[in-house]
Amino acid sequence: MISVGSSDGDSNRAKKSRSRRDCMEVEGVRKNEAVVSFGPEDLKGVNFPHSNALVIQARVANYAIMRVLVDSGSFVKVIFKEAFIKLDLQGYHLEEVDTTLFGFSGHVVYPEGGIVLPLTLGTRELKKTVMTTFTLADAPSSYNIILGRPAMNELRAVTSIYHQKIKFPVGRRVGEFRGNQPSSRKCYVETVRVDQKRVRQEDKRLQSCGEMERIVKKGEVQFVAEEEREKELIGISPLIAEHHLNILPGSQHVNQKKRHFGPEKDKVIDVQVRDLLKAGHIREIQFPTLFSNVGYHQILLAKDDQDKASFITSGGIFCYIVMPFGLKNAVATYQRLINKVFEKQLGRNVEVYVDDILGKSKEISGFISDLEETFATLM
């Protein structure tokens, strides 16, 4: 599946034009077109059992093109560069395309342009030709062309994977074209090989970026820097940012009674407390003035206010050394810190809201250098 923006555009003018066109097609001469249907006779010549994709032959710009994938899950018509350069298309103009393509596996392809070409399906007696816009993509593929939903709508075609056939009205008659099952199976095998090669290349790239540990669990892959996992955050200097609890003088402190969570929950709480102690985010205290039960760790909490951010567990009483979550104005303190840290980049190549950091670049060529500046700032 390949997803992309609307092929007709999302402007009001485009939507109205599309709506008028659809109404004319329903109310006009096309309402007298032949009915397209599939029956048992269409199964003749199909090899069962099968789960083959529908791969056909089509004529594009008067060239017979093999390995054309009919994919109703794709919202774009793609011609791959390897096939494109083999065609003599000097008389056709390549238009600029800004939209990116997203494959079902998550990889991104930046098109090299769009080109309007005649697309013909069918046999000599019953064939249909439409002028359609293909997106030129420079990406490895076992297919030459992918025909998505827009192409099927333009041809008014109906596909059946089960029958391995595509049908379309030609006046009051029906044209059809059968898929090539051997070609479909061959393309599938090559696609798997291409994906495996891409995974191997990605693994090599990640290995060259530093010492990374690959953790595979329940089908998910996470990449964790070994050095970063061993060391904890060293925190922000109080000279840059420090959080104060603005408690009214003379206000009455409310201390919660110790709750009994049960053995299982106490074990979980104990593990989390040990982790916080190890990271230096909390410390144990003996005589707190204010504490609560368990319920930004880079910003230090003002020393005079640390005992006011304490909590009690079955293992003892502890207080936060750093700013904990849940404080009324903690977000504002953190945002001021972020604004100060990125003051030279904000609005230029970085936008930040609390802990969401968005890197941006005016040109693709400068994206890497902008990322390097951002990472250098974070370090």
Side-chain angles (χ1 to χ4, degrees):
M1 182 186 71
I2 300 177
S3 59
V4 73
S6 172
S7 59
D8 288 332
D10 292 323
S11 65
N12 290 330
R13 178 179 297 180
K15 292 178 180 178
K16 291 179 180 178
S17 176
R18 183 165 61 249
S19 178
R20 287 194 299 268
R21 184 173 66 249
D22 293 341
C23 291
M24 290 175 62
E25 291 177 356
V26 173
E27 298 175 359
V29 66
R30 289 191 175 183
K31 67 181 181 180
N32 296 320
E33 284 181 339
V35 176
V36 175
S37 62
F38 293 87
E41 66 279 4
D42 294 304
L43 295 174
K44 185 178 179 179
V46 179
N47 295 322
F48 287 99
H50 83 83
S51 57
N52 304 130
L54 185 56
V55 178
I56 65 172
Q57 174 183 324
R59 293 194 69 85
V60 177
N62 293 323
Y63 287 91
I65 308 294
M66 304 291 291
R67 294 190 174 192
V68 177
L69 173 65
V70 179
D71 184 8
S72 59
S74 298
F75 200 60
V76 67
K77 297 154 288 185
V78 176
I79 181 169
F80 291 96
K81 191 171 183 178
E82 187 175 349
F84 178 78
I85 59 179
K86 294 180 181 179
L87 304 178
D88 184 15
L89 301 176
Q90 297 180 359
Y92 295 92
H93 176 64
L94 193 65
E95 299 177 352
E96 184 177 354
V97 174
D98 295 328
T99 308
T100 54
L101 305 180
F102 299 88
F104 72 93
S105 60
H107 61 276
V108 180
V109 175
Y110 297 95
E112 295 193 0
I115 186 169
V116 180
L117 300 172
L119 168 66
T120 303
L121 291 185
T123 61
R124 181 175 300 177
E125 296 181 356
L126 292 173
K127 64 181 180 180
K128 196 169 191 178
T129 301
V130 295
M131 297 297 294
T132 189
T133 302
F134 288 92
T135 299
L136 177 60
D138 186 7
S141 176
S142 56
Y143 305 103
N144 294 315
I145 286 176
I146 295 180
L147 296 180
R149 291 195 302 272
M152 297 301 101
N153 288 337
E154 292 166 353
L155 291 163
R156 302 179 65 80
V158 181
T159 63
S160 174
I161 304 297
Y162 179 72
H163 295 88
Q164 280 291 292
K165 188 176 285 188
I166 180 172
K167 292 187 177 184
F168 45 88
V170 183
R172 297 189 178 185
R173 302 172 67 185
V174 176
E176 62 180 40
F177 209 87
R178 181 173 295 283
N180 188 324
Q181 287 182 280
S183 178
S184 177
R185 287 190 288 267
K186 187 174 181 180
C187 288
Y188 173 76
V189 172
E190 291 183 6
T191 298
V192 173
R193 290 175 180 172
V194 169
D195 289 340
Q196 290 176 342
K197 183 178 180 181
R198 183 186 298 115
V199 171
R200 289 195 296 269
Q201 291 175 343
E202 183 67 12
D203 287 343
K204 291 180 180 179
R205 185 186 68 83
L206 290 170
Q207 290 173 4
S208 65
C209 291
E211 294 184 5
M212 306 294 290
E213 179 183 7
R214 197 177 187 198
I215 303 173
V216 181
K217 184 178 181 182
K218 295 182 180 180
E220 297 179 353
V221 180
Q222 295 179 338
F223 295 94
V224 182
E226 186 66 27
E227 295 180 357
E228 292 300 320
R229 195 175 65 166
E230 292 297 329
K231 68 180 182 179
E232 300 293 338
L233 294 172
I234 60 175
I236 302 297
S237 170
L239 298 177
I240 299 177
E242 186 178 58
H243 191 73
H244 293 264
L245 299 179
N246 297 321
I247 299 176
L248 292 175
S251 61
Q252 184 178 1
H253 298 168
V254 179
N255 294 326
Q256 295 182 0
K257 294 182 179 180
K258 182 182 177 300
R259 296 177 183 173
H260 296 282
F261 294 98
E264 293 184 358
K265 291 184 178 179
D266 278 340
K267 289 181 180 178
V268 176
I269 293 173
D270 184 56
V271 171
Q272 294 184 1
V273 167
R274 288 202 303 268
D275 289 341
L276 290 172
L277 283 170
K278 182 181 178 181
H281 293 163
I282 62 174
R283 62 181 172 87
E284 189 172 4
I285 59 174
Q286 299 294 331
F287 305 103
T289 57
L290 180 69
F291 58 80
S292 62
N293 286 276
V294 181
Y296 309 179
H297 293 158
Q298 293 174 265
I299 301 177
L300 290 175
L301 192 61
K303 190 171 183 179
D304 294 338
D305 293 330
Q306 291 177 4
D307 63 340
K308 301 182 182 67
S310 57
F311 58 90
I312 185 171
T313 72
S314 59
I317 302 175
F318 306 87
C319 73
Y320 275 95
I321 300 173
V322 295
M323 183 178 70
F325 291 96
L327 297 181
K328 185 175 181 180
N329 57 347
V331 175
T333 299
Y334 191 85
Q335 185 66 60
R336 286 196 297 270
L337 165 67
I338 290 296
N339 290 345
K340 188 174 184 63
V341 170
F342 288 102
E343 61 181 348
K344 295 181 180 180
Q345 291 183 250
L346 286 177
R348 178 168 55 85
N349 58 9
V350 161
E351 298 294 343
V352 181
Y353 178 71
V354 192
D355 59 347
D356 290 329
I357 302 174
L358 173 65
K360 62 180 184 179
S361 298
K362 291 184 178 180
E363 298 179 356
I364 297 178
S365 59
F367 185 63
I368 298 299
S369 61
D370 287 332
L371 280 182
E372 289 177 345
E373 182 182 2
T374 301
F375 289 137
T377 301
L378 290 171
M379 293 176 65

